[in-house]
Amino acid sequence: MIAGSTQQAPHATAVRSWLIVVAALIAVMVLVGGATRLTESGLSIVEWKPVTGTLPPLNEAQWAQAFEGYKAIPQYRELNAGMSLAEFKTIFWWEWSHRLLGRVIGAVYLLPFLYFLWRGAFSAELKKRLWLIFALGALQGAVGWWMVASGLSQRTEVSQYRLAIHLVLALVIFAAIVWTLRRMSARPQPLVPPRLKISGVAVLALTFVQIYFGALVAGLRAGRVYNTWPEIDGAFIPSAARLFFEEPWWRNLFDNTLTVQFEHRMTAYALLALAVLHAVDSVRSRAGVAVVGGAWSLVAAITLQAGLGILTLLHQVPIDLALAHQAVAIVVLTLAVLQTERLVARRTEHDRQKLAMPLGQPG
């Protein structure tokens, strides 16, 4: 067993380093996607060419052709009529960078993955998890184009529904990689009461709900209206007539800018309250240094995130504050994933032996 572990050490380090790089690239991708949305650049490329689209326009004729394609969609006609070629190039580069980064992530994931598979470097459990992550990544590329396509014919922007799905799926992939990284390290499971595990899972689930609502806010540009806090539309809780004037009522949850911003605010308060309760309970339960520290780190990150959200709203969504708000959301998600895995992990000696499979053994 000791010899096998010694043989495995360089391999385990390589796999962890690879997954850390992929996770970091996804985080950067999310931020570039946020900048693309904030600069209204997402519809500047009106075709999906997975291979040939890797190259940008290389001469004036190609730039003119790309610009003509953009002029044919409603966003140009209704919002950017008269835009110069130089202005078009600015938004083009944001969208092209976003798509290029997606291709880079695909290559950085797939090529080492195939190499490690060839060497039989993964346990059966780890292999299944990594194949699932690969499938989600392939799906994400299709979802990205599905999102862009929603803004090419009848709308002046992409559908907020599809934008939210695109963002949440990206962060599901990110969370799966973070979870996998944590699972690769054999650690004793802390002895904690079931309610602490439940509240940890609830914090993670509510974090995803909050990210989804945040994407709806971005998709509807809801952060550019009702720029007061703690009141919104003149009250802490707006009137029901204002929150639910569309029919059927449930459409307000996704299409009404007031309702969408209000639910994003309320979910933020609920998330912070739940995180504090989880942290206090971890202390009272004597759950251990790692669990207590993870819980209070979550509280600190969520508090910072809420503060950045308020500042972003009050200043009507400047790009620097908006991206900082999005970056801290990724930090909150990372901490929530680590805390949840820490609480629910169940490892046995057999699991640790599988993770210590020698390099070159079929997996």
PDB file of all heavy atoms in Angstrom, residues 315-340:
ATOM      1  N   HIS A 315     -25.136  52.487  -7.522  1.00  0.00           N
ATOM      2  CA  HIS A 315     -24.367  53.189  -8.554  1.00  0.00           C
ATOM      3  C   HIS A 315     -24.811  52.818  -9.973  1.00  0.00           C
ATOM      4  O   HIS A 315     -24.116  53.120 -10.940  1.00  0.00           O
ATOM      5  CB  HIS A 315     -22.874  52.899  -8.382  1.00  0.00           C
ATOM      6  CG  HIS A 315     -22.280  53.552  -7.167  1.00  0.00           C
ATOM      7  ND1 HIS A 315     -22.338  52.976  -5.912  1.00  0.00           N
ATOM      8  CD2 HIS A 315     -21.644  54.740  -7.009  1.00  0.00           C
ATOM      9  CE1 HIS A 315     -21.742  53.773  -5.034  1.00  0.00           C
ATOM     10  NE2 HIS A 315     -21.314  54.843  -5.664  1.00  0.00           N
ATOM     11  N   GLN A 316     -25.940  52.108 -10.075  1.00  0.00           N
ATOM     12  CA  GLN A 316     -26.551  51.772 -11.363  1.00  0.00           C
ATOM     13  C   GLN A 316     -25.634  50.909 -12.238  1.00  0.00           C
ATOM     14  O   GLN A 316     -25.443  51.162 -13.416  1.00  0.00           O
ATOM     15  CB  GLN A 316     -27.006  53.033 -12.103  1.00  0.00           C
ATOM     16  CG  GLN A 316     -28.046  53.827 -11.335  1.00  0.00           C
ATOM     17  CD  GLN A 316     -28.602  55.005 -12.106  1.00  0.00           C
ATOM     18  OE1 GLN A 316     -28.440  55.103 -13.308  1.00  0.00           O
ATOM     19  NE2 GLN A 316     -29.268  55.905 -11.394  1.00  0.00           N
ATOM     20  N   VAL A 317     -25.059  49.912 -11.611  1.00  0.00           N
ATOM     21  CA  VAL A 317     -24.350  48.819 -12.269  1.00  0.00           C
ATOM     22  C   VAL A 317     -23.138  49.270 -13.099  1.00  0.00           C
ATOM     23  O   VAL A 317     -23.058  48.999 -14.299  1.00  0.00           O
ATOM     24  CB  VAL A 317     -25.314  47.976 -13.146  1.00  0.00           C
ATOM     25  CG1 VAL A 317     -24.679  46.613 -13.440  1.00  0.00           C
ATOM     26  CG2 VAL A 317     -26.652  47.776 -12.464  1.00  0.00           C
ATOM     27  N   PRO A 318     -22.166  49.938 -12.484  1.00  0.00           N
ATOM     28  CA  PRO A 318     -20.897  50.160 -13.201  1.00  0.00           C
ATOM     29  C   PRO A 318     -20.195  48.823 -13.389  1.00  0.00           C
ATOM     30  O   PRO A 318     -20.309  47.914 -12.552  1.00  0.00           O
ATOM     31  CB  PRO A 318     -20.114  51.082 -12.265  1.00  0.00           C
ATOM     32  CG  PRO A 318     -20.668  50.802 -10.908  1.00  0.00           C
ATOM     33  CD  PRO A 318     -22.122  50.483 -11.109  1.00  0.00           C
ATOM     34  N   ILE A 319     -19.454  48.691 -14.465  1.00  0.00           N
ATOM     35  CA  ILE A 319     -18.911  47.386 -14.828  1.00  0.00           C
ATOM     36  C   ILE A 319     -17.929  46.849 -13.786  1.00  0.00           C
ATOM     37  O   ILE A 319     -17.882  45.645 -13.523  1.00  0.00           O
ATOM     38  CB  ILE A 319     -18.261  47.442 -16.233  1.00  0.00           C
ATOM     39  CG1 ILE A 319     -17.912  46.024 -16.710  1.00  0.00           C
ATOM     40  CG2 ILE A 319     -17.042  48.356 -16.245  1.00  0.00           C
ATOM     41  CD1 ILE A 319     -17.511  45.964 -18.164  1.00  0.00           C
ATOM     42  N   ASP A 320     -17.143  47.737 -13.146  1.00  0.00           N
ATOM     43  CA  ASP A 320     -16.164  47.238 -12.168  1.00  0.00           C
ATOM     44  C   ASP A 320     -16.850  46.645 -10.944  1.00  0.00           C
ATOM     45  O   ASP A 320     -16.493  45.552 -10.480  1.00  0.00           O
ATOM     46  CB  ASP A 320     -15.185  48.357 -11.770  1.00  0.00           C
ATOM     47  CG  ASP A 320     -15.885  49.620 -11.304  1.00  0.00           C
ATOM     48  OD1 ASP A 320     -17.114  49.748 -11.477  1.00  0.00           O
ATOM     49  OD2 ASP A 320     -15.183  50.513 -10.764  1.00  0.00           O
ATOM     50  N   LEU A 321     -17.862  47.340 -10.421  1.00  0.00           N
ATOM     51  CA  LEU A 321     -18.583  46.810  -9.264  1.00  0.00           C
ATOM     52  C   LEU A 321     -19.384  45.563  -9.634  1.00  0.00           C
ATOM     53  O   LEU A 321     -19.453  44.603  -8.854  1.00  0.00           O
ATOM     54  CB  LEU A 321     -19.518  47.876  -8.687  1.00  0.00           C
ATOM     55  CG  LEU A 321     -18.882  48.952  -7.816  1.00  0.00           C
ATOM     56  CD1 LEU A 321     -19.908  49.999  -7.408  1.00  0.00           C
ATOM     57  CD2 LEU A 321     -18.240  48.335  -6.568  1.00  0.00           C
ATOM     58  N   ALA A 322     -19.976  45.573 -10.816  1.00  0.00           N
ATOM     59  CA  ALA A 322     -20.779  44.424 -11.236  1.00  0.00           C
ATOM     60  C   ALA A 322     -19.914  43.171 -11.351  1.00  0.00           C
ATOM     61  O   ALA A 322     -20.320  42.079 -10.920  1.00  0.00           O
ATOM     62  CB  ALA A 322     -21.462  44.724 -12.559  1.00  0.00           C
ATOM     63  N   LEU A 323     -18.720  43.306 -11.912  1.00  0.00           N
ATOM     64  CA  LEU A 323     -17.837  42.146 -12.048  1.00  0.00           C
ATOM     65  C   LEU A 323     -17.282  41.708 -10.693  1.00  0.00           C
ATOM     66  O   LEU A 323     -17.082  40.509 -10.456  1.00  0.00           O
ATOM     67  CB  LEU A 323     -16.705  42.461 -13.025  1.00  0.00           C
ATOM     68  CG  LEU A 323     -17.129  42.612 -14.487  1.00  0.00           C
ATOM     69  CD1 LEU A 323     -15.920  42.918 -15.367  1.00  0.00           C
ATOM     70  CD2 LEU A 323     -17.837  41.357 -14.993  1.00  0.00           C
ATOM     71  N   ALA A 324     -17.025  42.658  -9.807  1.00  0.00           N
ATOM     72  CA  ALA A 324     -16.598  42.292  -8.451  1.00  0.00           C
ATOM     73  C   ALA A 324     -17.707  41.516  -7.743  1.00  0.00           C
ATOM     74  O   ALA A 324     -17.451  40.512  -7.054  1.00  0.00           O
ATOM     75  CB  ALA A 324     -16.232  43.540  -7.661  1.00  0.00           C
ATOM     76  N   HIS A 325     -18.939  41.959  -7.928  1.00  0.00           N
ATOM     77  CA  HIS A 325     -20.101  41.269  -7.357  1.00  0.00           C
ATOM     78  C   HIS A 325     -20.184  39.840  -7.890  1.00  0.00           C
ATOM     79  O   HIS A 325     -20.418  38.885  -7.133  1.00  0.00           O
ATOM     80  CB  HIS A 325     -21.353  42.068  -7.732  1.00  0.00           C
ATOM     81  CG  HIS A 325     -22.630  41.543  -7.154  1.00  0.00           C
ATOM     82  ND1 HIS A 325     -22.813  41.337  -5.804  1.00  0.00           N
ATOM     83  CD2 HIS A 325     -23.802  41.187  -7.748  1.00  0.00           C
ATOM     84  CE1 HIS A 325     -24.044  40.882  -5.591  1.00  0.00           C
ATOM     85  NE2 HIS A 325     -24.657  40.765  -6.761  1.00  0.00           N
ATOM     86  N   GLN A 326     -19.940  39.674  -9.176  1.00  0.00           N
ATOM     87  CA  GLN A 326     -19.994  38.345  -9.783  1.00  0.00           C
ATOM     88  C   GLN A 326     -18.822  37.479  -9.314  1.00  0.00           C
ATOM     89  O   GLN A 326     -18.990  36.280  -9.072  1.00  0.00           O
ATOM     90  CB  GLN A 326     -19.976  38.472 -11.299  1.00  0.00           C
ATOM     91  CG  GLN A 326     -20.335  37.199 -12.033  1.00  0.00           C
ATOM     92  CD  GLN A 326     -20.666  37.446 -13.489  1.00  0.00           C
ATOM     93  OE1 GLN A 326     -20.383  38.495 -14.045  1.00  0.00           O
ATOM     94  NE2 GLN A 326     -21.280  36.467 -14.129  1.00  0.00           N
ATOM     95  N   ALA A 327     -17.656  38.084  -9.171  1.00  0.00           N
ATOM     96  CA  ALA A 327     -16.485  37.326  -8.725  1.00  0.00           C
ATOM     97  C   ALA A 327     -16.678  36.791  -7.308  1.00  0.00           C
ATOM     98  O   ALA A 327     -16.351  35.629  -7.019  1.00  0.00           O
ATOM     99  CB  ALA A 327     -15.237  38.201  -8.796  1.00  0.00           C
ATOM    100  N   VAL A 328     -17.227  37.619  -6.433  1.00  0.00           N
ATOM    101  CA  VAL A 328     -17.441  37.162  -5.060  1.00  0.00           C
ATOM    102  C   VAL A 328     -18.539  36.093  -5.017  1.00  0.00           C
ATOM    103  O   VAL A 328     -18.515  35.208  -4.156  1.00  0.00           O
ATOM    104  CB  VAL A 328     -17.763  38.345  -4.132  1.00  0.00           C
ATOM    105  CG1 VAL A 328     -18.037  37.866  -2.710  1.00  0.00           C
ATOM    106  CG2 VAL A 328     -16.597  39.320  -4.111  1.00  0.00           C
ATOM    107  N   ALA A 329     -19.477  36.147  -5.953  1.00  0.00           N
ATOM    108  CA  ALA A 329     -20.484  35.077  -6.034  1.00  0.00           C
ATOM    109  C   ALA A 329     -19.810  33.733  -6.286  1.00  0.00           C
ATOM    110  O   ALA A 329     -20.223  32.701  -5.725  1.00  0.00           O
ATOM    111  CB  ALA A 329     -21.487  35.386  -7.145  1.00  0.00           C
ATOM    112  N   ILE A 330     -18.775  33.730  -7.104  1.00  0.00           N
ATOM    113  CA  ILE A 330     -18.031  32.493  -7.361  1.00  0.00           C
ATOM    114  C   ILE A 330     -17.322  32.032  -6.092  1.00  0.00           C
ATOM    115  O   ILE A 330     -17.257  30.830  -5.800  1.00  0.00           O
ATOM    116  CB  ILE A 330     -17.030  32.698  -8.513  1.00  0.00           C
ATOM    117  CG1 ILE A 330     -17.775  33.054  -9.810  1.00  0.00           C
ATOM    118  CG2 ILE A 330     -16.177  31.449  -8.723  1.00  0.00           C
ATOM    119  CD1 ILE A 330     -16.857  33.442 -10.950  1.00  0.00           C
ATOM    120  N   VAL A 331     -16.800  32.983  -5.328  1.00  0.00           N
ATOM    121  CA  VAL A 331     -16.158  32.641  -4.054  1.00  0.00           C
ATOM    122  C   VAL A 331     -17.173  32.032  -3.095  1.00  0.00           C
ATOM    123  O   VAL A 331     -16.904  31.011  -2.439  1.00  0.00           O
ATOM    124  CB  VAL A 331     -15.506  33.887  -3.428  1.00  0.00           C
ATOM    125  CG1 VAL A 331     -14.978  33.573  -2.030  1.00  0.00           C
ATOM    126  CG2 VAL A 331     -14.370  34.410  -4.311  1.00  0.00           C
ATOM    127  N   VAL A 332     -18.351  32.647  -3.007  1.00  0.00           N
ATOM    128  CA  VAL A 332     -19.409  32.117  -2.140  1.00  0.00           C
ATOM    129  C   VAL A 332     -19.768  30.693  -2.556  1.00  0.00           C
ATOM    130  O   VAL A 332     -19.881  29.790  -1.707  1.00  0.00           O
ATOM    131  CB  VAL A 332     -20.663  33.019  -2.188  1.00  0.00           C
ATOM    132  CG1 VAL A 332     -21.841  32.346  -1.468  1.00  0.00           C
ATOM    133  CG2 VAL A 332     -20.372  34.376  -1.553  1.00  0.00           C
ATOM    134  N   LEU A 333     -19.939  30.469  -3.838  1.00  0.00           N
ATOM    135  CA  LEU A 333     -20.279  29.135  -4.320  1.00  0.00           C
ATOM    136  C   LEU A 333     -19.176  28.136  -3.972  1.00  0.00           C
ATOM    137  O   LEU A 333     -19.461  27.015  -3.528  1.00  0.00           O
ATOM    138  CB  LEU A 333     -20.506  29.171  -5.831  1.00  0.00           C
ATOM    139  CG  LEU A 333     -20.800  27.822  -6.491  1.00  0.00           C
ATOM    140  CD1 LEU A 333     -22.080  27.207  -5.936  1.00  0.00           C
ATOM    141  CD2 LEU A 333     -20.895  27.970  -8.007  1.00  0.00           C
ATOM    142  N   THR A 334     -17.931  28.523  -4.162  1.00  0.00           N
ATOM    143  CA  THR A 334     -16.816  27.629  -3.852  1.00  0.00           C
ATOM    144  C   THR A 334     -16.827  27.236  -2.379  1.00  0.00           C
ATOM    145  O   THR A 334     -16.694  26.048  -2.033  1.00  0.00           O
ATOM    146  CB  THR A 334     -15.479  28.307  -4.196  1.00  0.00           C
ATOM    147  OG1 THR A 334     -15.464  28.669  -5.581  1.00  0.00           O
ATOM    148  CG2 THR A 334     -14.306  27.381  -3.909  1.00  0.00           C
ATOM    149  N   LEU A 335     -16.992  28.213  -1.515  1.00  0.00           N
ATOM    150  CA  LEU A 335     -17.021  27.929  -0.074  1.00  0.00           C
ATOM    151  C   LEU A 335     -18.219  27.069   0.304  1.00  0.00           C
ATOM    152  O   LEU A 335     -18.112  26.185   1.171  1.00  0.00           O
ATOM    153  CB  LEU A 335     -17.044  29.245   0.711  1.00  0.00           C
ATOM    154  CG  LEU A 335     -15.777  30.102   0.613  1.00  0.00           C
ATOM    155  CD1 LEU A 335     -15.991  31.448   1.312  1.00  0.00           C
ATOM    156  CD2 LEU A 335     -14.575  29.380   1.197  1.00  0.00           C
ATOM    157  N   ALA A 336     -19.360  27.306  -0.347  1.00  0.00           N
ATOM    158  CA  ALA A 336     -20.556  26.503  -0.055  1.00  0.00           C
ATOM    159  C   ALA A 336     -20.359  25.057  -0.491  1.00  0.00           C
ATOM    160  O   ALA A 336     -20.771  24.118   0.209  1.00  0.00           O
ATOM    161  CB  ALA A 336     -21.778  27.111  -0.747  1.00  0.00           C
ATOM    162  N   VAL A 337     -19.729  24.844  -1.637  1.00  0.00           N
ATOM    163  CA  VAL A 337     -19.444  23.488  -2.106  1.00  0.00           C
ATOM    164  C   VAL A 337     -18.486  22.783  -1.151  1.00  0.00           C
ATOM    165  O   VAL A 337     -18.709  21.626  -0.754  1.00  0.00           O
ATOM    166  CB  VAL A 337     -18.859  23.516  -3.533  1.00  0.00           C
ATOM    167  CG1 VAL A 337     -18.331  22.138  -3.926  1.00  0.00           C
ATOM    168  CG2 VAL A 337     -19.904  23.981  -4.540  1.00  0.00           C
ATOM    169  N   LEU A 338     -17.420  23.461  -0.763  1.00  0.00           N
ATOM    170  CA  LEU A 338     -16.445  22.860   0.151  1.00  0.00           C
ATOM    171  C   LEU A 338     -17.073  22.508   1.490  1.00  0.00           C
ATOM    172  O   LEU A 338     -16.815  21.435   2.054  1.00  0.00           O
ATOM    173  CB  LEU A 338     -15.264  23.818   0.355  1.00  0.00           C
ATOM    174  CG  LEU A 338     -14.388  24.088  -0.873  1.00  0.00           C
ATOM    175  CD1 LEU A 338     -13.338  25.128  -0.544  1.00  0.00           C
ATOM    176  CD2 LEU A 338     -13.731  22.804  -1.370  1.00  0.00           C
ATOM    177  N   GLN A 339     -17.908  23.403   1.999  1.00  0.00           N
ATOM    178  CA  GLN A 339     -18.542  23.145   3.286  1.00  0.00           C
ATOM    179  C   GLN A 339     -19.509  21.971   3.195  1.00  0.00           C
ATOM    180  O   GLN A 339     -19.536  21.110   4.089  1.00  0.00           O
ATOM    181  CB  GLN A 339     -19.289  24.403   3.770  1.00  0.00           C
ATOM    182  CG  GLN A 339     -19.961  24.271   5.117  1.00  0.00           C
ATOM    183  CD  GLN A 339     -18.991  24.248   6.287  1.00  0.00           C
ATOM    184  OE1 GLN A 339     -17.787  24.106   6.098  1.00  0.00           O
ATOM    185  NE2 GLN A 339     -19.517  24.391   7.490  1.00  0.00           N
ATOM    186  N   THR A 340     -20.274  21.909   2.134  1.00  0.00           N
ATOM    187  CA  THR A 340     -21.237  20.816   1.989  1.00  0.00           C
ATOM    188  C   THR A 340     -20.526  19.476   1.848  1.00  0.00           C
ATOM    189  O   THR A 340     -20.891  18.483   2.488  1.00  0.00           O
ATOM    190  CB  THR A 340     -22.145  21.058   0.769  1.00  0.00           C
ATOM    191  OG1 THR A 340     -22.804  22.315   0.917  1.00  0.00           O
ATOM    192  CG2 THR A 340     -23.187  19.965   0.638  1.00  0.00           C
TER     193      THR A 340
END
